[in-house]
Amino acid sequence: MSTGTVAKPSAAPKKAGRRKLTWPWILLIVAAGLVLFSLVRVVSGADDLTSVGQISGALQLAVPIAMAGLGGLWSERAGVVNIGLEGMMILGTWFGAWAGYQWGPWTGVVVGILGGAVGGLLHAIITVTFNVNHIVSGVAINILAVGFTQYLSNFTFAEAEGGSSKQSPRIDPITDVTIPGLSDGLIDLQQKHWFLISDIAGILGGLVTHLSLLTIVAALLIPATWWLLWRTSFGLRLRSCGENPVAAESLGVNVYKYKYIAVVVSGGLAGLGGAFLAIVSTGIYQEGQTGGRGYIGLAAMIFGNWMPGGMALGASLFGFTDSLKIRGGAENVHALLLLVALLLVIAALWQLYRKKYAVAAISAAFSAAFFLWYFLTDEVPSQFVDAAPYITTLLVLALSAQRLRMPKADGLPYRKGEGK
Protein backbone atom coordinates (compact mmCIF):
# COMPACT_ATOMS: atom_id res chain seq x y z
CA MET A 1 0.00 0.00 0.00
CA SER A 2 1.59 3.17 -1.11
CA THR A 3 1.50 6.14 1.17
CA GLY A 4 0.85 9.47 -0.47
CA THR A 5 1.83 12.78 0.93
CA VAL A 6 -0.87 15.22 1.71
CA ALA A 7 -0.09 18.57 0.21
CA LYS A 8 -0.43 21.49 2.54
CA PRO A 9 -2.98 24.01 1.43
CA SER A 10 -1.27 26.97 -0.09
CA ALA A 11 -1.72 30.28 1.61
CA ALA A 12 -4.27 32.55 0.06
CA PRO A 13 -2.64 35.16 -2.07
CA LYS A 14 -2.41 38.50 -0.36
CA LYS A 15 -4.25 41.33 -1.93
CA ALA A 16 -1.99 43.98 -3.26
CA GLY A 17 -2.50 46.99 -1.01
CA ARG A 18 -2.68 50.48 -2.29
CA ARG A 19 0.76 52.02 -2.18
CA LYS A 20 1.18 54.88 0.20
CA LEU A 21 2.50 58.07 -1.36
CA THR A 22 5.98 58.91 -0.16
CA TRP A 23 7.44 62.41 -0.01
CA PRO A 24 9.50 62.00 -3.24
CA TRP A 25 6.37 60.98 -5.13
CA ILE A 26 4.34 63.83 -3.62
CA LEU A 27 7.01 66.36 -4.62
CA LEU A 28 7.16 64.86 -8.12
CA ILE A 29 3.38 65.16 -8.51
CA VAL A 30 3.47 68.76 -7.27
CA ALA A 31 6.26 69.61 -9.73
CA ALA A 32 4.37 67.99 -12.62
CA GLY A 33 1.24 69.91 -11.65
CA LEU A 34 3.16 73.20 -11.68
CA VAL A 35 4.59 72.45 -15.13
CA LEU A 36 1.13 71.58 -16.46
CA PHE A 37 -0.40 74.71 -14.96
CA SER A 38 2.35 76.90 -16.37
CA LEU A 39 1.84 75.34 -19.81
CA VAL A 40 -1.89 76.12 -19.66
CA ARG A 41 -1.17 79.71 -18.62
CA VAL A 42 1.28 80.27 -21.48
CA VAL A 43 -0.96 78.69 -24.14
CA SER A 44 -4.18 80.33 -22.97
CA GLY A 45 -2.68 83.74 -22.18
CA ALA A 46 -4.58 83.84 -18.87
CA ASP A 47 -1.65 85.30 -16.93
CA ASP A 48 -3.74 85.82 -13.81
CA LEU A 49 -3.97 82.07 -13.21
CA THR A 50 -0.92 82.08 -10.91
CA SER A 51 -0.59 85.77 -10.09
CA VAL A 52 0.20 86.96 -6.58
CA GLY A 53 -3.30 88.43 -6.22
CA GLN A 54 -4.88 85.18 -7.42
CA ILE A 55 -3.00 83.03 -4.90
CA SER A 56 -3.57 85.51 -2.08
CA GLY A 57 -7.31 85.57 -2.84
CA ALA A 58 -7.45 81.78 -3.09
CA LEU A 59 -5.81 81.44 0.32
CA GLN A 60 -8.31 83.81 1.89
CA LEU A 61 -11.23 81.94 0.34
CA ALA A 62 -9.83 78.55 1.36
CA VAL A 63 -9.42 79.31 5.09
CA PRO A 64 -13.13 79.24 6.10
CA ILE A 65 -13.64 76.01 4.14
CA ALA A 66 -10.54 74.48 5.72
CA MET A 67 -11.72 75.38 9.23
CA ALA A 68 -15.13 73.82 8.57
CA GLY A 69 -13.43 70.74 7.11
CA LEU A 70 -11.08 70.50 10.09
CA GLY A 71 -14.07 70.73 12.40
CA GLY A 72 -15.77 67.91 10.52
CA LEU A 73 -12.60 65.83 10.80
CA TRP A 74 -12.50 66.20 14.61
CA SER A 75 -16.15 65.21 14.92
CA GLU A 76 -16.14 62.28 12.51
CA ARG A 77 -12.88 60.85 13.82
CA ALA A 78 -14.77 60.46 17.10
CA GLY A 79 -17.71 58.82 15.32
CA VAL A 80 -20.16 61.75 15.11
CA VAL A 81 -21.32 62.94 11.68
CA ASN A 82 -21.54 66.74 11.71
CA ILE A 83 -23.83 68.05 8.98
CA GLY A 84 -24.42 71.05 11.25
CA LEU A 85 -21.09 72.67 10.30
CA GLU A 86 -22.95 75.21 8.16
CA GLY A 87 -25.09 76.30 11.10
CA MET A 88 -22.06 76.51 13.39
CA MET A 89 -20.30 78.70 10.81
CA ILE A 90 -23.36 80.97 10.72
CA LEU A 91 -23.20 81.31 14.51
CA GLY A 92 -19.48 82.11 14.18
CA THR A 93 -20.13 84.88 11.64
CA TRP A 94 -22.86 86.51 13.72
CA PHE A 95 -21.20 86.32 17.14
CA GLY A 96 -17.80 87.21 15.68
CA ALA A 97 -19.21 90.34 14.04
CA TRP A 98 -21.32 91.27 17.08
CA ALA A 99 -18.33 91.22 19.41
CA GLY A 100 -15.88 92.43 16.77
CA TYR A 101 -17.43 95.80 16.00
CA GLN A 102 -17.86 96.58 19.72
CA TRP A 103 -14.66 95.29 21.31
CA GLY A 104 -12.21 94.71 18.47
CA PRO A 105 -11.50 91.98 15.90
CA TRP A 106 -9.59 89.57 18.14
CA THR A 107 -12.41 89.60 20.70
CA GLY A 108 -14.72 88.91 17.78
CA VAL A 109 -12.62 85.89 16.81
CA VAL A 110 -12.81 84.45 20.34
CA VAL A 111 -16.56 85.05 20.64
CA GLY A 112 -17.11 83.61 17.15
CA ILE A 113 -15.31 80.43 18.20
CA LEU A 114 -17.46 80.25 21.34
CA GLY A 115 -20.62 80.75 19.26
CA GLY A 116 -19.70 77.82 17.02
CA ALA A 117 -18.72 75.74 20.06
CA VAL A 118 -22.19 76.27 21.56
CA GLY A 119 -23.65 74.88 18.34
CA GLY A 120 -21.25 71.92 18.64
CA LEU A 121 -22.30 71.36 22.25
CA LEU A 122 -25.95 71.29 21.22
CA HIS A 123 -25.17 68.75 18.51
CA ALA A 124 -23.25 66.61 21.02
CA ILE A 125 -26.12 66.65 23.53
CA ILE A 126 -28.63 65.62 20.85
CA THR A 127 -26.52 62.90 19.21
CA VAL A 128 -24.28 61.54 21.98
CA THR A 129 -26.54 61.78 25.01
CA PHE A 130 -29.95 61.28 23.37
CA ASN A 131 -28.78 59.18 20.40
CA VAL A 132 -30.79 61.17 17.84
CA ASN A 133 -29.87 60.53 14.20
CA HIS A 134 -26.79 62.63 13.40
CA ILE A 135 -28.10 63.87 10.05
CA VAL A 136 -31.41 64.98 11.54
CA SER A 137 -29.64 66.82 14.34
CA GLY A 138 -27.23 68.56 11.95
CA VAL A 139 -30.00 69.73 9.62
CA ALA A 140 -32.01 71.00 12.61
CA ILE A 141 -29.00 73.02 13.84
CA ASN A 142 -28.52 74.54 10.39
CA ILE A 143 -32.15 75.67 10.30
CA LEU A 144 -32.05 76.87 13.90
CA ALA A 145 -28.86 78.90 13.35
CA VAL A 146 -30.40 80.80 10.41
CA GLY A 147 -33.56 81.70 12.31
CA PHE A 148 -31.71 82.50 15.55
CA THR A 149 -29.23 84.91 13.93
CA GLN A 150 -32.00 86.61 11.93
CA TYR A 151 -33.92 87.16 15.17
CA LEU A 152 -30.88 88.53 16.99
CA SER A 153 -30.01 90.89 14.12
CA ASN A 154 -33.40 92.60 14.37
CA PHE A 155 -32.65 94.15 17.77
CA THR A 156 -28.84 94.36 17.71
CA PHE A 157 -27.44 95.29 14.28
CA ALA A 158 -30.65 97.05 13.20
CA GLU A 159 -30.28 99.54 16.05
CA ALA A 160 -26.51 100.02 15.69
CA GLU A 161 -25.02 102.89 13.71
CA GLY A 162 -24.03 101.67 10.24
CA GLY A 163 -25.92 98.39 10.65
CA SER A 164 -29.25 96.94 9.55
CA SER A 165 -31.35 93.86 10.18
CA LYS A 166 -29.26 92.02 7.57
CA GLN A 167 -25.73 93.28 8.24
CA SER A 168 -23.48 94.51 11.02
CA PRO A 169 -21.53 97.76 11.31
CA ARG A 170 -17.99 97.75 9.90
CA ILE A 171 -15.42 95.73 11.91
CA ASP A 172 -11.84 96.93 12.36
CA PRO A 173 -9.40 94.80 10.31
CA ILE A 174 -6.88 92.36 11.74
CA THR A 175 -3.27 93.25 11.01
CA ASP A 176 -1.87 91.65 7.87
CA VAL A 177 1.75 90.82 7.14
CA THR A 178 3.81 91.52 4.03
CA ILE A 179 7.54 90.74 3.74
CA PRO A 180 8.60 93.92 1.90
CA GLY A 181 11.74 92.95 -0.01
CA LEU A 182 10.72 89.38 -0.75
CA SER A 183 7.14 90.28 -1.72
CA ASP A 184 8.19 93.04 -4.15
CA GLY A 185 10.81 90.85 -5.78
CA LEU A 186 8.39 87.96 -6.28
CA ILE A 187 5.73 90.29 -7.72
CA ASP A 188 8.23 91.67 -10.24
CA LEU A 189 9.30 88.15 -11.21
CA GLN A 190 5.71 86.99 -11.59
CA GLN A 191 4.87 89.92 -13.87
CA LYS A 192 7.52 88.85 -16.37
CA HIS A 193 5.30 85.85 -17.26
CA TRP A 194 8.18 83.44 -17.74
CA PHE A 195 7.41 79.76 -18.07
CA LEU A 196 7.31 78.02 -14.67
CA ILE A 197 9.60 80.55 -12.92
CA SER A 198 6.91 83.27 -12.87
CA ASP A 199 4.32 80.73 -11.72
CA ILE A 200 6.45 79.65 -8.76
CA ALA A 201 7.11 83.33 -7.95
CA GLY A 202 3.36 84.06 -8.07
CA ILE A 203 2.53 81.20 -5.71
CA LEU A 204 5.24 82.13 -3.21
CA GLY A 205 4.39 85.81 -3.51
CA GLY A 206 0.75 85.12 -2.67
CA LEU A 207 1.89 83.45 0.56
CA VAL A 208 3.91 86.46 1.77
CA THR A 209 1.76 89.37 0.58
CA HIS A 210 -1.06 90.86 2.71
CA LEU A 211 -1.27 87.72 4.83
CA SER A 212 -3.67 88.17 7.76
CA LEU A 213 -2.40 87.07 11.16
CA LEU A 214 -5.61 85.05 11.55
CA THR A 215 -4.75 83.21 8.32
CA ILE A 216 -1.43 82.18 9.87
CA VAL A 217 -3.20 80.99 13.04
CA ALA A 218 -5.73 78.99 10.99
CA ALA A 219 -3.00 77.42 8.85
CA LEU A 220 -1.08 76.31 11.96
CA LEU A 221 -4.17 74.54 13.29
CA ILE A 222 -3.94 71.96 10.47
CA PRO A 223 -0.53 70.45 11.42
CA ALA A 224 -1.44 70.94 15.09
CA THR A 225 -4.53 68.76 14.56
CA TRP A 226 -2.46 66.10 12.79
CA TRP A 227 0.05 66.00 15.65
CA LEU A 228 -2.62 65.96 18.36
CA LEU A 229 -4.80 63.25 16.80
CA TRP A 230 -2.07 60.99 15.37
CA ARG A 231 0.90 61.47 17.69
CA THR A 232 -0.59 61.66 21.20
CA SER A 233 -2.43 59.24 23.48
CA PHE A 234 -5.34 61.70 23.60
CA GLY A 235 -5.69 61.47 19.83
CA LEU A 236 -5.46 57.69 19.87
CA ARG A 237 -8.31 57.47 22.37
CA LEU A 238 -10.42 59.95 20.42
CA ARG A 239 -9.92 58.11 17.12
CA SER A 240 -10.67 54.76 18.80
CA CYS A 241 -14.13 56.16 19.64
CA GLY A 242 -14.75 56.58 15.92
CA GLU A 243 -13.43 53.15 14.97
CA ASN A 244 -14.72 50.85 17.72
CA PRO A 245 -16.23 52.59 20.75
CA VAL A 246 -17.11 49.30 22.47
CA ALA A 247 -13.48 48.16 22.36
CA ALA A 248 -12.35 51.61 23.49
CA GLU A 249 -14.74 51.45 26.45
CA SER A 250 -13.42 48.01 27.41
CA LEU A 251 -9.94 49.58 27.65
CA GLY A 252 -11.14 52.28 30.02
CA VAL A 253 -11.78 55.10 27.56
CA ASN A 254 -14.64 57.41 28.51
CA VAL A 255 -16.27 57.38 25.07
CA TYR A 256 -18.90 60.00 25.91
CA LYS A 257 -16.27 62.44 27.13
CA TYR A 258 -14.14 62.14 24.00
CA LYS A 259 -17.16 62.44 21.70
CA TYR A 260 -18.24 65.59 23.51
CA ILE A 261 -14.76 67.10 23.30
CA ALA A 262 -14.50 66.30 19.59
CA VAL A 263 -17.90 67.74 18.65
CA VAL A 264 -17.44 70.92 20.71
CA VAL A 265 -13.99 71.47 19.15
CA SER A 266 -15.60 70.78 15.78
CA GLY A 267 -18.14 73.54 16.38
CA GLY A 268 -15.42 75.92 17.61
CA LEU A 269 -13.37 75.40 14.44
CA ALA A 270 -16.43 75.97 12.25
CA GLY A 271 -17.14 79.09 14.30
CA LEU A 272 -13.57 80.25 13.64
CA GLY A 273 -14.20 79.80 9.91
CA GLY A 274 -17.35 81.90 10.24
CA ALA A 275 -15.57 84.62 12.22
CA PHE A 276 -12.86 84.68 9.54
CA LEU A 277 -15.52 85.30 6.88
CA ALA A 278 -17.01 88.23 8.80
CA ILE A 279 -13.83 89.83 10.13
CA VAL A 280 -11.11 89.12 7.58
CA SER A 281 -12.80 88.31 4.26
CA THR A 282 -15.44 91.05 4.27
CA GLY A 283 -15.02 93.13 7.44
CA ILE A 284 -18.76 92.96 7.99
CA TYR A 285 -21.49 90.44 8.85
CA GLN A 286 -24.05 89.86 6.11
CA GLU A 287 -27.00 87.52 6.22
CA GLY A 288 -26.29 84.35 4.25
CA GLN A 289 -22.59 85.09 3.78
CA THR A 290 -21.46 81.53 4.56
CA GLY A 291 -22.88 80.48 1.18
CA GLY A 292 -22.79 76.74 1.89
CA ARG A 293 -19.12 76.73 2.91
CA GLY A 294 -19.89 74.42 5.82
CA TYR A 295 -21.10 71.76 3.39
CA ILE A 296 -18.13 72.37 1.11
CA GLY A 297 -15.81 71.97 4.11
CA LEU A 298 -17.45 68.61 4.74
CA ALA A 299 -16.81 67.69 1.09
CA ALA A 300 -13.17 68.79 1.43
CA MET A 301 -12.79 66.54 4.48
CA ILE A 302 -14.24 63.56 2.59
CA PHE A 303 -11.98 64.28 -0.39
CA GLY A 304 -9.03 64.31 2.02
CA ASN A 305 -10.00 60.85 3.31
CA TRP A 306 -10.54 62.15 6.85
CA MET A 307 -6.92 63.35 7.05
CA PRO A 308 -5.81 66.97 7.73
CA GLY A 309 -3.41 67.23 4.78
CA GLY A 310 -5.88 65.90 2.22
CA MET A 311 -8.61 68.11 3.67
CA ALA A 312 -6.36 71.18 3.29
CA LEU A 313 -5.71 70.22 -0.34
CA GLY A 314 -9.45 69.95 -1.03
CA ALA A 315 -10.14 73.32 0.61
CA SER A 316 -7.33 74.91 -1.40
CA LEU A 317 -8.77 73.50 -4.63
CA PHE A 318 -12.17 75.03 -3.98
CA GLY A 319 -10.66 78.33 -2.81
CA PHE A 320 -8.57 78.51 -5.98
CA THR A 321 -11.49 77.89 -8.36
CA ASP A 322 -13.63 80.36 -6.42
CA SER A 323 -10.87 82.96 -6.67
CA LEU A 324 -10.60 82.34 -10.43
CA LYS A 325 -14.30 83.07 -10.75
CA ILE A 326 -14.10 86.29 -8.74
CA ARG A 327 -10.90 87.75 -10.22
CA GLY A 328 -10.77 86.69 -13.86
CA GLY A 329 -14.28 85.47 -14.55
CA ALA A 330 -14.85 83.87 -17.93
CA GLU A 331 -11.24 84.13 -19.17
CA ASN A 332 -9.75 82.18 -16.28
CA VAL A 333 -12.50 79.56 -16.24
CA HIS A 334 -12.12 79.19 -20.02
CA ALA A 335 -8.43 78.40 -19.48
CA LEU A 336 -9.48 75.66 -17.05
CA LEU A 337 -11.10 73.82 -19.97
CA LEU A 338 -7.64 73.32 -21.46
CA LEU A 339 -6.32 72.14 -18.09
CA VAL A 340 -9.14 69.59 -17.76
CA ALA A 341 -8.52 68.36 -21.33
CA LEU A 342 -4.81 67.79 -20.60
CA LEU A 343 -5.58 66.03 -17.31
CA LEU A 344 -7.96 63.71 -19.15
CA VAL A 345 -5.21 62.90 -21.67
CA ILE A 346 -2.93 61.92 -18.78
CA ALA A 347 -5.76 59.83 -17.28
CA ALA A 348 -6.33 58.07 -20.60
CA LEU A 349 -2.62 57.22 -20.92
CA TRP A 350 -2.54 55.92 -17.35
CA GLN A 351 -5.56 53.69 -17.96
CA LEU A 352 -3.92 52.36 -21.13
CA TYR A 353 -0.84 51.50 -19.09
CA ARG A 354 -3.10 49.62 -16.65
CA LYS A 355 -4.80 47.88 -19.64
CA LYS A 356 -8.21 49.32 -18.80
CA TYR A 357 -9.09 50.10 -22.38
CA ALA A 358 -12.75 51.01 -21.87
CA VAL A 359 -11.95 53.64 -19.22
CA ALA A 360 -9.09 54.95 -21.36
CA ALA A 361 -11.44 55.35 -24.34
CA ILE A 362 -13.99 57.26 -22.25
CA SER A 363 -11.27 59.56 -20.87
CA ALA A 364 -9.95 60.19 -24.39
CA ALA A 365 -13.45 60.99 -25.67
CA PHE A 366 -14.08 63.50 -22.90
CA SER A 367 -10.62 64.98 -23.46
CA ALA A 368 -11.42 65.53 -27.16
CA ALA A 369 -14.71 67.18 -26.19
CA PHE A 370 -12.97 69.60 -23.83
CA PHE A 371 -10.29 70.41 -26.44
CA LEU A 372 -13.02 71.21 -28.97
CA TRP A 373 -14.89 73.32 -26.41
CA TYR A 374 -11.72 75.27 -25.65
CA PHE A 375 -10.54 75.90 -29.22
CA LEU A 376 -13.98 76.64 -30.69
CA THR A 377 -15.01 79.19 -28.06
CA ASP A 378 -13.50 82.33 -26.55
CA GLU A 379 -15.42 82.29 -23.29
CA VAL A 380 -17.78 80.14 -21.27
CA PRO A 381 -21.36 80.99 -20.21
CA SER A 382 -21.63 83.11 -17.06
CA GLN A 383 -23.71 80.38 -15.39
CA PHE A 384 -20.83 77.94 -15.84
CA VAL A 385 -18.41 80.50 -14.36
CA ASP A 386 -20.58 80.85 -11.26
CA ALA A 387 -20.94 77.09 -10.90
CA ALA A 388 -17.27 76.25 -11.58
CA PRO A 389 -16.19 75.88 -7.89
CA TYR A 390 -19.13 73.57 -7.15
CA ILE A 391 -18.66 71.52 -10.31
CA THR A 392 -14.97 71.14 -9.42
CA THR A 393 -15.90 69.91 -5.95
CA LEU A 394 -18.35 67.33 -7.32
CA LEU A 395 -15.87 66.06 -9.94
CA VAL A 396 -13.04 65.71 -7.44
CA LEU A 397 -15.28 63.85 -4.99
CA ALA A 398 -16.52 61.53 -7.74
CA LEU A 399 -12.98 60.73 -8.90
CA SER A 400 -11.66 60.15 -5.39
CA ALA A 401 -14.61 58.11 -4.08
CA GLN A 402 -12.96 54.71 -4.66
CA ARG A 403 -10.07 55.32 -2.27
CA LEU A 404 -12.08 56.70 0.66
CA ARG A 405 -12.36 54.98 4.04
CA MET A 406 -14.42 56.64 6.71
CA PRO A 407 -14.06 55.75 10.42
CA LYS A 408 -15.87 52.44 10.95
CA ALA A 409 -18.23 53.65 13.67
CA ASP A 410 -18.90 57.05 12.08
CA GLY A 411 -22.57 57.92 12.54
CA LEU A 412 -23.43 54.71 14.39
CA PRO A 413 -25.37 54.93 17.68
CA TYR A 414 -23.49 54.09 20.88
CA ARG A 415 -24.72 53.35 24.39
CA LYS A 416 -22.44 53.05 27.37
CA GLY A 417 -22.03 49.47 28.51
CA GLU A 418 -23.59 47.93 25.40
CA GLY A 419 -20.54 45.73 24.84
CA LYS A 420 -20.81 43.98 28.20
Side-chain angles (χ1 to χ4, degrees):
M1 182 177 178
S2 61
T3 59
T5 58
V6 179
K8 293 181 179 180
S10 59
K14 293 182 179 180
K15 291 183 179 179
R18 193 181 297 274
R19 288 185 178 179
K20 190 175 181 180
L21 284 177
T22 58
W23 275 109
W25 276 106
I26 292 172
L27 293 175
L28 185 62
I29 292 170
V30 170
L34 281 173
V35 170
L36 188 63
F37 226 94
S38 184
L39 179 64
V40 169
R41 178 185 61 79
V42 171
V43 172
S44 66
D47 291 323
D48 197 44
L49 276 178
T50 53
S51 68
V52 170
Q54 171 69 42
I55 301 304
S56 180
L59 183 62
Q60 192 173 100
L61 289 165
V63 168
I65 296 168
M67 291 302 96
L70 200 62
L73 187 147
W74 270 82
S75 180
E76 299 210 8
R77 278 293 176 179
V80 179
V81 175
N82 193 354
I83 297 294
L85 290 168
E86 177 75 7
M88 295 166 200
M89 281 192 81
I90 292 171
L91 293 173
T93 58
W94 194 92
F95 282 102
W98 173 73
Y101 86 88
Q102 297 182 89
W103 302 300
W106 285 108
T107 304
V109 170
V110 173
V111 175
I113 293 171
L114 291 175
V118 169
L121 178 61
L122 179 61
H123 187 52
I125 292 170
I126 295 171
T127 57
V128 178
T129 301
F130 293 103
N131 252 336
V132 174
N133 182 277
H134 299 189
I135 306 297
V136 172
S137 172
V139 171
I141 287 172
N142 291 338
I143 297 170
L144 180 64
V146 173
F148 184 58
T149 52
Q150 287 176 345
Y151 170 73
L152 291 176
S153 295
N154 287 329
F155 62 86
T156 51
F157 296 151
E159 298 178 0
E161 184 179 354
S164 71
S165 61
K166 294 185 182 296
Q167 69 177 43
S168 72
R170 179 65 55 179
I171 307 164
D172 292 334
I174 288 177
T175 305
D176 57 28
V177 178
T178 297
I179 303 176
L182 181 60
S183 175
D184 295 339
L186 289 170
I187 290 173
D188 291 340
L189 193 57
Q190 176 259 312
Q191 290 175 345
K192 294 184 183 298
H193 307 310
W194 292 337
F195 178 77
L196 191 59
I197 296 173
S198 292
D199 299 283
I200 295 172
I203 293 170
L204 295 177
L207 300 178
V208 297
T209 305
H210 298 302
L211 191 64
S212 170
L213 291 178
L214 189 56
T215 301
I216 298 172
V217 172
L220 291 174
L221 288 174
I222 296 172
T225 290
W226 173 82
W227 178 81
L228 194 60
L229 294 187
W230 274 269
R231 287 295 181 268
T232 66
S233 56
F234 166 82
L236 178 62
R237 294 188 188 102
L238 187 145
R239 288 186 293 115
S240 70
C241 296
E243 294 292 340
N244 194 332
V246 174
E249 181 191 338
S250 69
L251 295 173
V253 175
N254 187 334
V255 176
Y256 281 174
K257 182 182 83 170
Y258 280 92
K259 284 180 179 285
Y260 261 86
I261 290 172
V263 181
V264 170
V265 170
S266 172
L269 288 167
L272 173 59
F276 186 96
L277 271 175
I279 297 170
V280 177
S281 297
T282 59
I284 196 170
Y285 164 81
Q286 292 176 311
E287 189 178 298
Q289 72 186 129
T290 55
R293 285 175 173 82
Y295 300 113
I296 297 166
L298 201 62
M301 176 207 67
I302 295 170
F303 162 75
N305 208 10
W306 289 264
M307 294 292 290
M311 180 281 305
L313 182 61
S316 301
L317 178 65
F318 184 89
F320 181 76
T321 51
D322 205 12
S323 181
L324 283 179
K325 178 193 76 173
I326 293 170
R327 286 180 55 86
E331 181 185 358
N332 283 339
V333 176
H334 185 255
L336 286 184
L337 298 177
L338 181 58
L339 178 63
V340 171
L342 292 172
L343 288 173
L344 285 169
V345 169
I346 294 170
L349 294 173
W350 174 247
Q351 296 301 334
L352 279 175
Y353 172 75
R354 298 177 64 192
K355 297 182 179 180
K356 293 187 176 181
Y357 301 113
V359 178
I362 293 171
S363 299
F366 275 102
S367 175
F370 274 97
F371 272 122
L372 284 173
W373 189 1
Y374 175 77
F375 286 112
L376 295 178
T377 60
D378 293 326
E379 59 181 24
V380 293
S382 59
Q383 295 86 349
F384 186 82
V385 174
D386 294 335
Y390 306 96
I391 293 172
T392 303
T393 304
L394 288 172
L395 286 174
V396 168
L397 281 175
L399 293 172
S400 62
Q402 293 182 348
R403 65 174 181 82
L404 301 178
R405 193 200 78 82
M406 65 189 295
K408 290 181 181 178
D410 194 15
L412 299 180
Y414 163 78
R415 288 285 186 189
K416 187 176 181 180
E418 63 182 4
K420 295 180 180 178

